[in-house]
Amino acid sequence: MRDARRLLAHLLGIAAERLVVDMPAGLSAAQEAEFAALVARRAAREPLSHITGSRLFYGRAFQVSADVLDPRPETETLIEQALQAPFRDVLDLGLGSGCVLLTLLAERGEATGVGADLSPAALQVAAGNAADLGVAARASFVLSDWFDAIEGAFDLIVSNPPYISEAEMAELSPEVLHEPRMALTPGGDGLSPYRVIAAGAGRHLRNGGRLLVEIGWQQGPAVQQIFRDAGLAQVQVHSDLGGKDRVVSALRSGASPG
Ligand SMILES: C[S@@+](CC[C@H](N)C(=O)[O-])C[C@H]1O[C@@H](n2cnc3c(N)ncnc32)[C@H](O)[C@@H]1O
């Protein structure tokens, strides 16, 4: 019912919360047919954001398509943690729609950022969102397999990598299967991106720089161990609003990038 209201509001071009006030007396035959088509797509478990093309994240609207992960509310935990300390520049590995990088740039008006993704289509969606949010001049986008095409060092590295294990993929809801497989799972135990990111963080963080990654709620101990083994300092796990482990943070300490 709530989704039907949102679809109707989308069709009529009015805010869902204004539907009762601004709803016209009736729909034209063309509008009725279009509404039925939208409802049929949702009934086939296509995510609402893919149908409307937009998702609210940390209070801002992001364009979303079938080429990117639908931004999740729990990823706002990554934003909250990133904003706990100042940063001049930020690298986002696995940019997707750009919801993480672009939110950070919107929240910190002096900061610059680089967003990397292995999907050219995702980079395009993110570039559109950067323009919409007015942060395009402070953002650059790189087609990169994690750190491969990244140069230089940053105050902050953030990542919400694909972390669903091969075994868990079989249990996902039909909505999730509309999203790009590459955004969901790296295969195997779901931890391989953390190993690559931890191994490269030393080279791409300034001394004292922070690394923050989103995790699956059962991955806290494993990701903390990966970070410690890579020589990162002050490794900590942080919970989301539901009380589940959601973010692992660490610092680079040491004399010079290795
Ligand atoms: C879980 S999604 C996160 C997207 C976005 N940051 C968010 O939080 O909604 C992971 C992203 O990592 C990208 N990705 C997967 N493998 C990658 C790789 N080897 N190098 C760079 N990006 C990769 C995917 O294309 C996808 O956009």
Side-chain angles (χ1 to χ4, degrees):
M1 180 63 186
R2 207 182 65 173
D3 285 358
R5 288 169 60 92
R6 288 183 187 278
L7 289 173
L8 186 56
H10 169 67
L11 175 73
L12 296 171
I14 56 183
E17 53 277 13
R18 297 286 305 171
L19 203 54
V20 177
V21 183
D22 296 341
M23 170 100 179
L27 297 182
S28 68
Q31 284 174 323
E32 272 182 24
E34 207 180 327
F35 182 55
L38 295 178
V39 170
R41 285 173 66 185
R42 185 69 192 102
R45 307 292 292 270
E46 191 171 340
L48 189 67
S49 63
H50 284 183
I51 302 172
T52 63
S54 173
R55 161 72 76 183
L56 213 56
F57 179 82
Y58 211 77
R60 296 181 181 85
F62 283 82
Q63 294 172 45
V64 175
S65 76
D67 291 318
V68 296
L69 189 88
D70 187 4
R72 306 288 204 269
E74 57 267 30
T75 301
E76 295 186 349
T77 308
L78 195 58
I79 303 294
E80 295 290 354
Q81 287 301 322
L83 295 176
Q84 298 290 315
F87 55 88
R88 288 160 294 173
D89 45 25
V90 50
L91 169 65
D92 182 359
L93 295 171
L95 182 68
S97 63
C99 63
V100 175
L101 177 73
L102 303 177
T103 297
L104 293 176
L105 295 184
E107 292 290 323
R108 293 291 179 263
E110 301 295 307
T112 60
V114 175
D117 207 292
L118 199 50
S119 158
L123 293 175
Q124 254 185 357
V125 172
N129 281 321
D132 289 350
L133 294 173
V135 301
R138 293 186 286 119
S140 53
F141 305 104
V142 183
L143 185 66
S144 180
D145 185 353
W146 301 129
F147 288 111
D148 280 3
I150 302 300
E151 290 172 5
F154 299 81
D155 286 344
L156 174 66
I157 297 175
V158 288
S159 184
N160 174 19
Y163 54 66
I164 300 172
S165 71
E166 195 73 54
E168 287 167 327
M169 282 298 287
E171 296 157 20
L172 296 181
S173 72
E175 275 85 353
V176 177
L177 299 177
H178 283 271
E179 298 179 275
R181 187 177 169 86
M182 188 170 102
L184 297 170
T185 181
D189 64 2
L191 296 170
S192 60
Y194 301 113
R195 298 187 182 103
V196 177
I197 291 169
R203 258 177 300 127
H204 292 285
L205 277 177
R206 294 199 184 93
N207 197 14
R210 293 180 296 147
L211 171 62
L212 291 167
V213 295
E214 179 169 321
I215 57 164
W217 64 278
Q218 292 168 309
Q219 294 173 324
V223 175
Q224 287 185 85
Q225 194 57 50
I226 290 169
F227 281 15
R228 289 196 184 103
D229 290 348
L232 292 159
Q234 295 186 34
V235 179
Q236 291 177 41
V237 66
H238 309 270
S239 308
D240 61 22
L241 286 176
K244 290 186 168 162
D245 286 358
R246 189 57 66 192
V247 168
V248 174
S249 65
L251 284 188
R252 175 182 181 271
S253 63
S256 62

